[in-house]
Amino acid sequence: MTDNKRAILTGAARVIARQGVRGLRVADLAAEAGVSTGLVYYHFKDRPGILRHALAFIGDRADRYTATAQGPTAAHPPDRRTLLEQTLLLEFQDVPEVRENSTAWGELRAHSVFDPELREELAAAGAAWVAEVAGHLAALCPDAPGAVTAAAERLTALLEGLSARWLSGLLPLEHARGLLREAIRVEIGRLGSLGERID
C-alpha cells in the first residue's frame, strides 16, 4: 500500500469516527490525509469505494493491534482460554486507535443497513471474525464442534453491543469487560456440557 493510500484510509477512519459516515466529505478526508481530492478519487473512485476500503483497513488495523498484544513469548505462550479472552477483550482498550477503530466500525455497520454493497463487505469481515473466535472455542471444547459457531456469534454480537454502549458513555469500561468475561465463561461451560452429553 502506498503512503498516500495509507494516509487516506487512516484519515477516513478518523473522519468516520469523528463525524460519522454521513459526515464524511471527500474534501474533509483529503484535508485530514494531507492530499488533494483528486488523489482520493484516483485511489478510491467514489464515496462507496472509500467506505469499502475503509472497512477493510479498519479490520486489518484491528487484526494488527490484537495480534501484537497477543504475541506469545517463547517462555510463556498464552493458554487457549487466555487467547480467546484476549481476542475479544483487546477490543476494549481505552486508547485512541482502538476507540477510533471501534467507533468507525460501528458507524460503518450502522450505515450498511442502507448500503447493500457495504453490507456484503461487512458480512464477510464479520464471518471471518466469528470463524476466528469459533476456532478458539473449538480448541477449548473439541467435543462440541457443532455448537462453537453459534457460541462465537453470540460472543461477537455481545461484544459489538457492549462496545457501542461503552463508546456512548453508557457503560463503564471495566463493567463491559466483566460482562464479556462472564459471557465467555458461560459459553465455555455450555460447550463443555454439550461435549459431555455427546460422550
Side-chain angles (χ1 to χ4, degrees):
M1 181 183 304
T2 66
D3 289 344
N4 282 333
K5 195 170 182 182
R6 185 179 304 281
I8 294 166
L9 291 172
T10 302
R14 193 170 297 127
V15 172
I16 292 168
R18 190 173 57 232
Q19 298 172 200
V21 170
R22 291 184 181 190
L24 177 66
R25 306 282 178 266
V26 174
D28 294 343
L29 171 53
E32 185 76 34
V35 300
S36 68
T37 57
L39 194 59
V40 174
Y41 285 118
Y42 169 78
H43 282 295
F44 301 106
K45 185 180 166 190
D46 54 19
R47 194 168 183 278
I50 294 167
L51 295 178
R52 285 193 311 277
H53 284 88
L55 178 65
F57 175 79
I58 289 164
D60 290 345
R61 193 163 68 170
D63 288 345
R64 282 195 306 276
Y65 65 66
T66 55
T68 300
Q70 288 179 19
T73 62
H76 302 290
D79 61 54
R80 289 175 174 169
R81 183 176 182 141
T82 300
L83 199 55
L84 170 65
E85 287 184 353
Q86 286 178 345
T87 298
L88 295 167
L89 290 168
L90 285 171
E91 293 294 333
F92 288 118
Q93 299 178 70
D94 196 8
V95 297
E97 184 181 58
V98 176
R99 289 183 71 95
E100 181 181 283
N101 236 42
S102 295
T103 303
W105 177 269
E107 269 296 309
L108 288 162
R109 185 180 64 243
H111 183 73
S112 72
V113 171
F114 309 102
D115 184 341
E117 197 170 320
L118 187 60
R119 196 178 311 150
E120 291 174 18
E121 301 277 337
L122 191 70
W129 192 34
V130 167
E132 179 185 356
V133 173
H136 292 312
L137 287 167
L140 275 165
C141 306
D143 294 329
V148 294
T149 299
E153 288 174 339
R154 285 189 293 272
L155 288 172
T156 54
L158 176 64
L159 187 151
E160 288 183 351
L162 292 173
S163 179
R165 289 186 179 194
W166 162 54
L167 292 167
S168 300
L170 303 175
L171 197 63
L173 180 58
E174 282 308 315
H175 188 55
R177 287 175 175 156
L179 290 170
L180 190 57
R181 281 191 185 99
E182 176 65 11
I184 292 168
R185 186 191 66 74
V186 167
E187 291 294 348
I188 291 172
R190 182 176 169 280
L191 290 171
S193 68
L194 287 174
E196 289 168 10
R197 287 204 296 272
I198 290 169
D199 293 342

